[in-house]
Amino acid sequence: MSTRSVIVFLLVVALLAAAPFVVYPVFLMKALLFALFASAFNLLLGYVGLLSFGHAAFFGFAAYVSAHVVKVWEWGPEGGIVAGTAVAAALGLVFGWLAIRRQGIYFAMVTLALAQMVYFVSLQASFTHGEDGIQAVPRRPLFGIVDISDNLSLYFFVAVVAVAGMLLVRRAIHSPFGEVLRAIRENEQRARSLGFRVDRYKLLAFVLSAALAGVAGSTKILVFQLASLSDVEWMMSGEVVLMALIGGMGTVWGPALGAVVIVAMQNYLAQFGAMVTILQGIIFVAVVLLFRRGIVGEALAFWEKRRKAGAADDTASATLPERQGKAAPGE
Amino acid sequence: MAEVAIRTENLSVSFAGFRAVDGVDLSVEAGTIHALIGPNGAGKTTCFNLITKFIRPSSGRIWLGEQDITALEPDAVARLGMVRSFQISAVFPGLSVLENVRVALQPTLGVTFQFWRSNRILRRLDDQAMALLDRVGMAAVAGERAADLSYGRKRVLEIATTLALDPSVLLLDEPMAGMGAEDVAMVANLIREVGRNRTILMVEHNLSVVADLSDRITVLQRGQILAEGSYAEVSSDRRVIEAYMGEEVTDA
Ligand SMILES: Nc1ncnc2c1ncn2[C@@H]1O[C@H](COP(=O)(O)OP(=O)(O)OP(=O)(O)O)[C@@H](O)[C@H]1O
Ligand SMILES: [Mg+2]
């Protein structure tokens, strides 16, 4: 890691450590988990170019599984997260296997249809308790020893999980695997002609994305002590699309920022009731029409433009030799 | 009988009733440079697409060496050592020139599915990628985005990327189209050089290049083989001259 990224990392850690003393921890936990959810979703949308319209299934069903094993089977929170994540990954394998052969709108339709089936199961199955959901999920001690029953200590646990998950997404993007994904997104036919089994790479990306969405969902039940239908609903699948687009799909941190923006709006504008939905709609339309790259994407593009203009000035005035180094990957 | 690298038997495909490739029996001898020529729309690219499995034949069979590849997927064919280039330049536009070549080399490291690892490991391939770029005279632009290259240079990059796989059989679809004279000469030399220990099947409209490079030529017209033989044989064939309407072949 360069010194600059170490400094940025330490700053973020300090900020996250200080935040719960200033802002309500439950809000922070919600924002962090949605940030992870949106980042996981973006691994697929931004880096493979696949628009899933069924990610609520992974998020919401993982929540049910986690809540069930913690409440009924009396597992610890870490067990709940592992179980929820594993089930989300398995669902991801099935969804992915069925959907990745389709392109564009058909891919989105297949994921939506499958997610609706998961919703239906969640509505009908007995362990999910229908409209009531799984309520009063206990906050057992972490690994049987660490008390996380109060919001502040839970916050630190959730922050570690969410940040670790987002760092894994970032790593996957900047990994050898991520490099192949980039090639596939740039020119799928060419990638195939070079011998890459394109479907397998897409499938792995899908499973990773689903599993990390599952991490977010199964951790969320510790915060709210509740798993409910609202997390498996298609509206939730739509919301995560919105988060990624607002923040900037195809940027590493954009979707996380988009998630924070949306969660903050829902939180602080809750008093205005239905207005929030309308406002979200307006923002969505504005982003699609005016700021297609999203907040982070537009900011990066702006910087890049200034940097290029600056570099052009440099070469013009001093005729510096052209730099060989590659531009730093978008953060 | 010499060893055969590619063989097709009664290869045919129809698009909405139109037989773009119609009963082609092609045989490419191993270790030779074989040219596939013919007027526009003759079905040359479609033949390539069939042989590399990018489209499914309506009928017929295809062999790569001894192996029947009729039922395989395009990526599997590539892994067997038959790699193609495309008529319309096919690079990864958003990747740098170096990254374009490097991604093709990546499977040699066996890390293509490793998502938990930093892509810094790929730097191990940089020397090899640079050597390939050097070979096609593109080392100086290694850091540039492929999208920013001229059309001709993209084609050259595509050839370098194809060579990165070290294929035993190469299919080049109009490799010199859109290139400047300098690159045409460079690529011709390159094809001759790499063709020494590989099989090359090449579609090319530049007939002087074809005459110069190829051991054998197959002429395609309306999806069917019209003639086959050495350049001298083919260029003196009346039907071939007619097919080209007496222009190119006679004065080449
Ligand atoms: N996917 C397709 N759908 C319908 N028709 C097609 C398709 N691909 C090719 N064709 C038709 O098949 C015929 C052969 O096309 P092909 O591209 O193979 O010709 P070619 O010999 O490569 O010509 P050129 O020298 O112009 O590249 C053409 O008439 C073309 O219009
Ligand atoms: Mg063609």
Side-chain angles (χ1 to χ4, degrees):
Chain A
M1 262 204 280
S2 68
T3 21
R4 206 198 58 169
S5 19
V6 172
I7 292 171
V8 170
F9 185 73
L10 291 178
L11 270 176
V12 171
V13 169
L15 204 69
L16 285 172
F21 301 101
V22 187
V23 187
Y24 185 46
V26 171
F27 162 74
L28 287 174
M29 290 189 273
K30 187 177 175 193
L32 277 166
L33 291 173
F34 274 102
L36 172 58
F37 183 26
S39 300
F41 169 78
N42 182 51
L43 179 61
L44 211 52
L45 177 63
Y47 294 89
V48 193
L50 291 173
L51 172 60
S52 159
F53 219 86
H55 257 51
F58 313 126
F59 183 77
F61 204 73
Y64 276 123
V65 170
S66 175
H68 181 77
V69 301
V70 169
K71 185 175 179 187
V72 182
W73 297 356
E74 302 184 359
W75 289 18
E78 66 288 342
I81 294 172
V82 169
T85 304
V87 171
L91 274 180
L93 192 65
V94 176
F95 275 44
W97 191 77
L98 291 169
I100 49 171
R101 279 149 233 273
R102 304 277 171 274
Q103 309 279 334
I105 188 79
Y106 299 102
F107 176 87
M109 298 302 284
V110 172
T111 52
L112 174 62
L114 291 168
Q116 285 303 100
M117 285 166 63
V118 171
Y119 173 79
F120 186 73
V121 168
S122 307
L123 187 65
Q124 298 295 325
S126 58
F127 87 98
T128 55
H129 300 285
E131 301 282 351
D132 297 337
I134 305 177
Q135 295 179 3
V137 179
R139 285 186 189 170
R140 295 179 202 288
L142 188 58
F143 302 112
I145 36 176
V146 185
D147 179 43
I148 50 166
S149 56
D150 65 300
N151 284 340
L152 193 60
S153 28
L154 181 63
Y155 166 80
F156 287 106
F157 173 61
V158 168
V160 168
V161 170
V163 170
M166 285 186 268
L167 285 176
L168 183 62
V169 172
R170 178 182 182 279
R171 170 42 66 87
I173 289 163
H174 298 303
S175 69
F177 172 67
E179 200 79 358
V180 178
L181 286 184
R182 243 174 105 203
I184 291 173
R185 197 182 35 145
E186 292 276 329
N187 191 339
E188 184 166 334
Q189 291 285 69
R190 182 55 176 157
R192 291 199 91 187
S193 79
L194 292 176
F196 291 105
R197 294 173 167 99
V198 168
D199 284 354
R200 288 204 195 174
Y201 292 91
K202 288 185 179 175
L203 185 58
L204 176 56
F206 199 105
V207 172
L208 270 179
S209 175
L212 286 165
V215 172
S218 46
T219 310
K220 184 172 175 254
I221 58 105
L222 299 174
V223 180
F224 295 95
Q225 302 186 274
L226 168 75
S228 69
L229 284 173
S230 65
D231 288 344
V232 264
E233 254 172 5
W234 65 270
M235 296 247 308
M236 184 58 80
S237 296
E239 223 158 70
V240 77
V241 178
L242 181 62
M243 289 168 178
L245 287 185
I246 286 183
M249 66 167 188
T251 65
V252 178
W253 301 113
L257 183 65
V260 173
V261 169
I262 294 286
V263 173
M265 269 173 52
Q266 289 170 347
N267 220 53
Y268 293 108
L269 303 179
Q271 47 188 322
F272 301 110
M275 277 300 288
V276 180
T277 320
I278 295 173
L279 205 61
Q280 272 185 21
I282 292 171
I283 290 179
F284 186 68
V285 171
V287 166
V288 169
L289 293 180
L290 301 172
F291 311 104
R292 300 192 91 150
R293 287 181 275 232
I295 301 170
V296 173
E298 293 290 344
L300 282 175
F302 179 73
W303 268 16
E304 182 68 7
K305 227 165 104 185
R306 282 197 46 173
R307 200 183 59 82
K308 270 201 179 142
D313 285 351
D314 283 355
T315 33
S317 57
T319 53
L320 286 171
E322 204 174 307
R323 253 177 259 148
Q324 276 280 338
K326 285 169 285 176
E331 290 287 308
Chain B
M1 256 304 281
E3 204 185 321
V4 173
I6 307 169
R7 188 157 69 85
T8 72
E9 191 181 278
N10 190 31
L11 193 61
S12 307
V13 71
S14 303
F15 299 117
F18 167 71
R19 293 177 78 85
V21 170
D22 189 3
V24 166
D25 298 318
L26 185 70
S27 179
V28 178
E29 202 178 298
T32 63
I33 299 179
H34 193 127
L36 189 60
I37 65 169
N40 291 112
K44 305 178 295 290
T45 298
T46 307
C47 265
F48 267 33
N49 287 337
L50 286 166
I51 292 171
T52 52
K53 302 305 303 160
F54 274 85
I55 54 180
R56 288 185 188 288
S58 318
S59 67
R61 307 195 75 80
I62 308 160
W63 287 266
L64 179 63
E66 297 286 294
Q67 190 170 356
D68 187 334
I69 59 165
T70 314
L72 295 188
E73 294 291 320
D75 47 273
V77 169
R79 288 193 301 277
L80 287 174
M82 175 158 73
V83 183
R84 68 174 297 183
S85 72
F86 290 83
Q87 180 169 0
I88 315 264
S89 121
V91 295
F92 303 114
L95 272 60
S96 76
V97 168
L98 183 78
E99 287 165 342
N100 262 271
V101 178
R102 206 172 62 176
V103 80
L105 291 169
Q106 206 173 317
T108 60
L109 282 184
V111 295
T112 52
F113 283 103
Q114 297 189 356
F115 59 85
W116 58 89
R117 205 163 179 166
S118 163
N119 59 14
R120 269 192 295 265
I121 190 179
L122 300 179
R123 290 189 196 153
R124 289 186 199 168
L125 299 169
D126 284 0
D127 286 346
Q128 218 179 326
M130 281 308 276
L132 279 157
L133 287 174
D134 202 33
R135 204 167 166 192
V136 296
M138 288 188 75
V141 292
E144 273 178 37
R145 260 166 56 98
D148 297 338
L149 299 173
S150 72
Y151 185 76
R153 301 252 90 188
K154 280 185 192 148
R155 308 295 324 258
V156 176
L157 174 59
E158 192 186 338
I159 293 171
T161 309
T162 307
L163 288 177
L165 296 186
D166 195 18
S168 55
V169 181
L170 258 120
L171 272 68
L172 303 172
D173 197 351
E174 300 195 25
M176 280 119 173
M179 275 185 197
E182 211 175 295
D183 278 340
V184 167
M186 190 268 294
V187 169
N189 279 327
L190 189 66
I191 290 174
R192 201 192 331 265
E193 193 189 312
V194 302
R196 278 202 202 108
N197 47 7
R198 292 162 228 263
T199 311
I200 297 180
L201 178 62
M202 173 175 79
V203 171
E204 184 52 58
H205 278 300
N206 185 334
L207 290 181
S208 67
V209 168
V210 169
D212 197 29
L213 287 177
S214 23
D215 301 301
R216 201 172 169 81
I217 296 166
T218 299
V219 185
L220 214 59
Q221 190 194 21
R222 289 195 211 98
Q224 295 179 328
I225 293 183
L226 183 67
E228 201 168 79
S230 69
Y231 187 78
E233 287 164 0
V234 163
S235 59
S236 58
D237 190 307
R238 275 190 50 84
R239 292 165 307 170
V240 175
I241 296 168
E242 274 165 24
Y244 274 85
M245 295 187 300
E247 295 165 34
E248 293 156 278
V249 173
T250 40
D251 58 35

